[in-house]
Amino acid sequence: MGILWMVIVGAIAGFLAGQIFQGYGFGIVGNIAVGIVGALIGGFLFGGVFVVGGMIGQIISATIGAVILLFIISLVKR
């Protein structure tokens, strides 16, 4: 169930990050990958700062991490 939950949160976070950071949608599989990596980044950044709990907190931290990842990708692509 943990892997399924990670894929669902990753898909939602990747979709939201693609909407926030216009022009960097990677399709459903790419958005899931960006969301999962974003969840790792968000967990690393916000894990020590404050407790991110529940489904909404996980989606928010994963989305912020995914936006950071998309920003870094946009810098590298230039």
Side-chain angles (χ1 to χ4, degrees):
M1 190 66 179
I3 293 173
L4 178 63
W5 182 251
M6 185 172 58
V7 169
I8 291 170
V9 170
I12 293 170
F15 171 76
L16 291 173
Q19 296 299 312
I20 293 170
F21 206 84
Q22 293 292 326
Y24 283 93
F26 294 108
I28 187 70
V29 175
N31 283 348
I32 290 172
V34 166
I36 291 172
V37 174
L40 294 172
I41 293 170
F44 177 74
L45 291 176
F46 299 122
V49 176
F50 60 91
V51 177
V52 178
M55 179 178 62
I56 300 298
Q58 290 176 352
I59 291 172
I60 290 171
S61 70
T63 302
I64 293 171
V67 167
I68 292 169
L69 177 64
L70 288 176
F71 177 72
I72 292 170
I73 290 171
S74 72
L75 290 177
V76 171
K77 278 188 162 182
R78 288 184 187 188

